[in-house]
Amino acid sequence: MDDSGKAYWSATLGLLTKILIIWFLVSFGAGILFAPMLNNIMLGGYPLGFWFAQQGSIYIFIALIFWYKAAMDKIDRQFDVHEE
Amino acid sequence: MDLQTTTYLVVGASFALYIGIAIWARAGSTSEFYVAGGGVHPVMNGMATAADWMSAASFISMAGLISNMGYGGGLFLMGWTGGYVLLAMLLAPYLRKFGKFTVPQFIGDRFYSKSASTVAVLCLLTASLTYIIGQMTGVGVAFSRFLGVSSDTGIYIGQAIVFMYAVFGGMKGITYTQVAQYIVLISAYIIPAIFISLQLTGNPIPQLGLGSNIVGQDISLLAKLDQVVTDLGFGKYTTSTAGSTLNMFVYTMSLMIGTAGLPHVIMRFFTVPKVSDARSSAGWALIFIALLYTTAPAVAAMAKTNLIRTITPGVVMNNADPFAPESQIKADERPDWMKRWEKTGLLKFEDKNGDGRIQYYNDKTKNPEVLKKAEAAGWKGNELTVNADIIVLANPEIALLPNWVIALVAAGGLAAALSTAAGLLMAISSAVSHDLVKGVFAPDISEKNELLAGKIAMAVAIVISGWLGLNPPGFAAGTVALAFGIAASSLFPAIMMGIFSKKMNKEGAIAGMLAGLFVTLFYVFAHKGIFFIKGTDFLPMIGGANSFFGITPEAFGAIGACVNFAVAFVVDKMTKEPPEHIQAMVENVRIPRGSKAVDGAH
C-alpha cells in the first residue's frame, strides 16, 4: 500500500473509532451500565437512563450513521478515492 | 360492517397489492433475480430492508415482551437497532465494493477456499432456516385468529402466497413488494398507538406521550405505572433489568452483532448502485425501523396501563386502592376482547378464590406488604395470565378502537411475517443455487438453470419451513435467538476479519467460524435440547442452567463471537500468510473507487 493509501485507511479507522466510542457510550454506557445513576435525572416524564435504553440510543444511532456517511464521503474526496 | 368482514376486506386488499407488484416487477435476468439489477434507490432500499428486518417477532412479540419486562426490554430495542451502526460502518460499503451476489461468495473469495465458502453456506442455512420457521408459525397464528381458520390452514395459505411472489419475482419483485409491506405494517403499528396515546396522555405522538402526564393528573404516565405495578407486586417498570446487568450487556451485544451478521440483511446492501449509497442505505433503513422501534416502548407501557385499567378500573385514573373489595371487575362483566382471546388459549382466567372477580397481581412477589394486603383481601393467587404475544394484536381491542384499526393490525402482522420470510428465502435460494450448485458442484451451469435451481431451493425451503411450522419442535423465541447467535458467532467475525485484517488467512477464518458456531450451539443445545428436540438437553454436563456467569443461552452469541475471534487469531499466527494477490484484493476492497455493478462471476 502506498503512503496515501495508508493515510486514507488510518483516517477511516480514526473515524470508525470515534463513532464506535459514542455508539458504546449511549447504549452500553448510558442505557445499561450508568442507567441506575442517570435515572435520578428526569427528561420530561422519562427517567434519563430508561430514556436512553428505550428511546435515546436509537435516535443517536441514526445520527451516527448519517454522520459516518458524510464524513466518509469527505475523506474519500480528500484522498481522491471517491466514485465517479 | 362486522369485524370479520372488515378483516377479510383489508387483508385481501393488501395481498392483492403485493401480488400485483410481484407480477409487475418480474425478474428477467440472474442479476435482477439476486440483487434487483443493483439499481434500487437508497431510500427505497432502506424501506425494503426495514420490512425485511422487522419480522413477526418485532411486530407481534416485541412490545409484549417489553410490556412484561419493563426497562430490561430495552435490550431488544438497542440490540436490534445498534447493529445497523456496525453494519453501515464495518460491513456494508466494503461488501458492496466487493461486488458479488452473496455472503458465502465473499468469504470464499476472500479466504481463497471453497471450504470456507461451504462453511459459510452451512452457517447461513442454519441461521436462515431456524429464523424462517418462527415466521411461518407467526403467519399461522395471525391467520387463525383473524380469518377464523385453523392454524395449520393459516400456514398453508402463507406458504402459497410467499411461494408465489418469491419464486416469480426474485429480488426485484421482493424489494418492491417489501416497500408496500413496510407501508402497511408501519401504519398498522402507529395508528393504534396514536389513538391510545391520545386517550391516556392527550399527546398524539406516542414517543412524547410516554414521557407525558396522564390526562387530568399531575403525575407522569411512567411514574404512575411504576407505582401501580409495584402496588401489585410486580418489579418497578422503569428499572427492572433482564437478569443481571452483565446478562443484559451480553444479550444486547449478541443481538447487535447478530443483526450485522444476518445474511438476508447484508444482502440488501448489494442492491444499491454505489458504495456511498450502501453507507446511507443503512441509515435510511434504521430511520424506517426506528419509527416502529421508538413507538414500541410506548405501546408496551400503555398496554400495561390499559390492562390494569381494565381489570381494576379506577386505579389508574382515580387512585383507587386495588385491594379494595369493589375495585376489581366482575368476571361475567369482562369485556368481549377477553372472551375472544380466551378461545385461542393465549389469555386465561381462573377464579381461584371463587369471588366472581378477576385478581391480577404478582403472587410470587417477595414484597411482604403486597402479600399481606392480598391475603387480607382474600386473594388466593393471580387469576389472569396474558401471553406476551397477544399484546400488540389485542391492543386496539383493549383500547376499544374501531374495527378497521383491528383489521389493519391483522394485515400489518401478516405483512411483517411474510416480508421477512420472503427475504430469508431469497438468502437461502441464492446460497444454494449460487454458492453450492454453481460454486461447488456445477461451475458451468447456464444462467437459466441456475435460476431454476434457485427457485427449486426456495420451494424446498418453503416446504421444510412450513412443515416445521406445523410441527414446531417446541420452540418459538428460542429459534430466533439461535438464528442471531449463529450469525453473531460465525458470519460476523469472519466477514469483519476479512475486511479489517489483511493477514487473516483461510485456516484462521475456517477454524474461527467452526469454533464460534460449535460453542454457541453447544451452550444453546445444553439448555434447549439437541436441535430443540425435547429431552435431549444436557444441562448437568455444563453445570446447570446459565452456568456461564449467569448468561442465558439467548445471550450467548456474543461469547461465541469472542471465541471465534480468539481462535481465528491463534490459528492465523500458527499458519502461513495469505497470498499476495489476496492482500492486494483486501486493499482494493477498502477504497470506493472502481466499484462496478454487482455481478456474480466467480
Side-chain angles (χ1 to χ4, degrees):
Chain A
M1 203 187 271
D2 54 21
D3 286 345
S4 145
K6 276 201 187 102
Y8 171 74
W9 191 238
S10 73
T12 307
L13 292 182
L15 178 67
L16 295 191
T17 314
K18 265 188 257 169
I19 295 179
L20 282 178
I21 289 173
I22 301 175
W23 166 82
F24 185 86
L25 283 181
V26 294
S27 50
F28 295 97
I32 299 178
L33 298 176
F34 308 120
M37 235 153 54
L38 292 176
N39 278 337
N40 295 322
I41 307 167
M42 294 299 282
L43 183 78
Y46 281 110
L48 195 57
F50 178 86
W51 182 81
F52 266 108
Q54 301 211 344
Q55 296 277 314
S57 53
I58 303 177
Y59 300 129
I60 296 167
F61 291 153
I62 296 177
L64 285 178
I65 296 182
F66 283 101
W67 172 35
Y68 162 74
K69 141 106 179 140
M72 225 28 235
D73 284 352
K74 220 158 108 194
I75 296 177
D76 285 352
R77 284 185 184 283
Q78 191 188 332
F79 290 93
D80 193 32
V81 293
H82 57 282
E83 294 156 291
E84 286 75 25
Chain B
M1 214 179 333
D2 70 337
L3 179 56
Q4 198 64 52
T5 323
T6 320
T7 310
Y8 276 125
L9 277 180
V10 175
V11 173
S14 68
F15 277 27
L17 177 69
Y18 309 150
I19 293 170
I21 293 175
I23 293 172
W24 166 73
R26 275 192 319 276
S29 65
T30 37
S31 162
E32 282 190 354
F33 187 78
Y34 289 127
V35 292
V40 181
H41 189 271
V43 176
M44 285 284 236
N45 196 54
M47 231 185 248
T49 311
D52 206 340
W53 170 240
M54 292 190 289
S55 62
S58 291
F59 188 93
I60 300 175
S61 309
M62 190 176 65
L65 283 170
I66 301 171
S67 190
N68 280 349
M69 294 166 74
Y71 156 76
L75 70 92
F76 296 109
L77 298 164
M78 291 186 286
W80 283 337
T81 55
Y84 277 84
V85 179
L86 301 180
L87 191 57
M89 296 193 315
L90 303 180
L91 310 184
Y94 304 108
L95 290 175
R96 173 62 191 81
K97 172 67 196 299
F98 187 69
K100 294 291 164 69
F101 287 156
T102 69
V103 170
Q105 210 178 348
F106 169 77
I107 291 183
D109 287 4
R110 164 62 184 86
F111 297 111
Y112 47 99
S113 139
K114 287 259 161 70
S115 332
S117 128
T118 311
V119 170
V121 171
L122 178 82
C123 301
L124 184 150
L125 288 181
T126 324
S128 303
L129 258 178
T130 43
Y131 203 162
I132 209 172
I133 298 162
Q135 303 305 317
M136 281 299 180
T137 323
V139 172
V141 171
F143 267 121
S144 62
R145 166 68 186 80
F146 288 104
L147 300 182
V149 294
S150 76
S151 168
D152 291 5
T153 318
I155 290 179
Y156 294 134
I157 300 176
Q159 275 179 309
I161 289 166
V162 173
F163 182 81
M164 257 200 284
Y165 69 69
V167 169
F168 295 130
M171 196 61 160
K172 197 172 164 204
I174 287 179
T175 303
Y176 289 106
T177 318
Q178 282 174 337
V179 171
Q181 280 164 333
Y182 175 77
I183 294 166
V184 171
L185 82 89
I186 201 69
S187 358
Y189 207 84
I190 288 182
I191 290 172
I194 291 175
F195 274 116
I196 293 167
S197 180
L198 261 177
Q199 279 176 0
L200 281 174
T201 66
N203 193 324
I205 301 168
Q207 287 84 343
L208 299 178
L210 184 57
S212 303
N213 286 352
I214 287 193
V215 169
Q217 293 187 49
D218 200 22
I219 180 166
S220 75
L221 177 77
L222 282 169
K224 186 75 188 195
L225 185 59
D226 268 348
Q227 179 203 323
V228 174
V229 293
T230 351
D231 279 352
L232 293 169
F234 298 102
K236 198 172 164 197
Y237 191 82
T238 54
T239 54
S240 43
T241 53
S244 62
T245 304
L246 174 71
N247 189 54
M248 183 159 167
F249 188 99
V250 182
Y251 205 148
T252 310
M253 187 65 92
S254 296
L255 295 182
M256 283 191 186
I257 53 186
T259 301
L262 275 178
H264 74 286
V265 178
I266 298 178
M267 251 173 63
R268 280 274 156 221
F269 298 95
F270 302 155
T271 60
V272 292
K274 291 191 305 182
V275 171
S276 74
D277 292 336
R279 293 173 186 150
S280 57
S281 204
W284 285 109
L286 190 54
I287 287 184
F288 294 122
I289 291 168
L291 269 178
L292 189 143
Y293 273 55
T294 55
T295 309
V299 170
M302 290 174 189
K304 187 97 184 171
T305 313
N306 271 335
L307 184 67
I308 292 171
R309 272 179 77 191
T310 310
I311 309 301
T312 44
V315 166
V316 175
M317 292 304 187
N318 302 320
N319 294 316
D321 173 11
F323 295 94
E326 297 293 314
S327 50
Q328 311 106 40
I329 53 163
K330 292 195 183 111
D332 47 11
E333 287 171 13
R334 67 187 190 281
D336 288 341
W337 66 264
M338 286 179 77
K339 293 177 192 155
R340 282 201 291 269
W341 282 100
E342 275 168 37
K343 284 190 201 126
T344 64
L346 298 172
L347 184 143
K348 287 193 196 90
F349 162 65
E350 183 196 353
D351 195 359
K352 287 182 182 155
N353 62 354
D355 65 350
R357 288 174 184 273
I358 301 175
Q359 278 96 40
Y360 174 62
Y361 71 114
N362 181 11
D363 51 11
K364 291 179 190 68
T365 179
K366 297 210 165 58
N367 184 344
E369 234 171 277
V370 175
L371 291 175
K372 218 162 70 194
K373 278 191 204 162
E375 209 188 321
W379 293 9
K380 296 264 188 322
N382 176 42
E383 300 181 346
L384 182 75
T385 41
V386 184
N387 184 312
D389 284 353
I390 74 170
I391 291 286
V392 169
L393 295 177
N395 206 20
E397 299 175 82
I398 299 177
L400 308 172
L401 298 182
N403 279 351
W404 65 268
V405 180
I406 303 176
L408 185 62
V409 172
L414 290 169
L418 290 174
S419 59
T420 306
L424 288 163
L425 284 170
M426 205 52 228
I428 292 173
S429 146
S430 57
V432 170
S433 67
H434 204 72
D435 301 319
L436 275 190
V437 176
K438 191 181 165 78
V440 179
F441 297 121
D444 42 6
I445 191 171
S446 73
E447 192 171 288
K448 201 171 146 221
N449 283 339
E450 189 192 334
L451 271 186
L452 186 67
K455 288 172 178 176
I456 294 172
M458 220 182 246
V460 172
I462 292 174
V463 172
I464 295 178
S465 59
W467 182 78
L468 287 168
L470 291 170
N471 308 282
F475 59 87
T479 31
V480 173
L482 180 67
F484 280 93
I486 292 169
S489 61
S490 58
L491 293 172
F492 177 81
I495 303 172
M496 206 185 136
M497 289 184 294
I499 297 163
F500 287 87
S501 163
K502 251 195 312 191
K503 306 274 178 201
M504 181 52 64
N505 59 16
K506 66 174 175 192
E507 290 84 358
I510 295 175
M513 277 193 283
L514 289 175
L517 184 67
F518 176 77
V519 167
T520 310
L521 288 179
F522 183 80
Y523 196 75
V524 173
F525 288 167
H527 287 80
K528 315 231 163 190
I530 296 165
F531 292 102
F532 299 107
I533 297 163
K534 276 187 188 129
T536 56
D537 46 302
F538 45 93
L539 270 182
M541 207 168 118
I542 61 162
N546 308 336
S547 54
F548 191 81
F549 296 104
I551 290 167
T552 54
E554 291 84 2
F556 201 74
I559 311 291
C562 293
V563 171
N564 184 333
F565 279 121
V567 169
F569 274 105
V570 170
V571 173
D572 178 53
K573 285 283 163 281
M574 296 188 316
T575 43
K576 68 174 195 296
E577 276 193 3
E580 264 321 301
H581 73 276
I582 294 293
Q583 301 192 29
M585 182 182 88
V586 176
E587 278 177 15
N588 187 280
V589 161
R590 288 176 179 178
I591 56 167
R593 173 152 302 165
S595 76
K596 50 185 174 40
V598 173
D599 69 41
H602 279 267

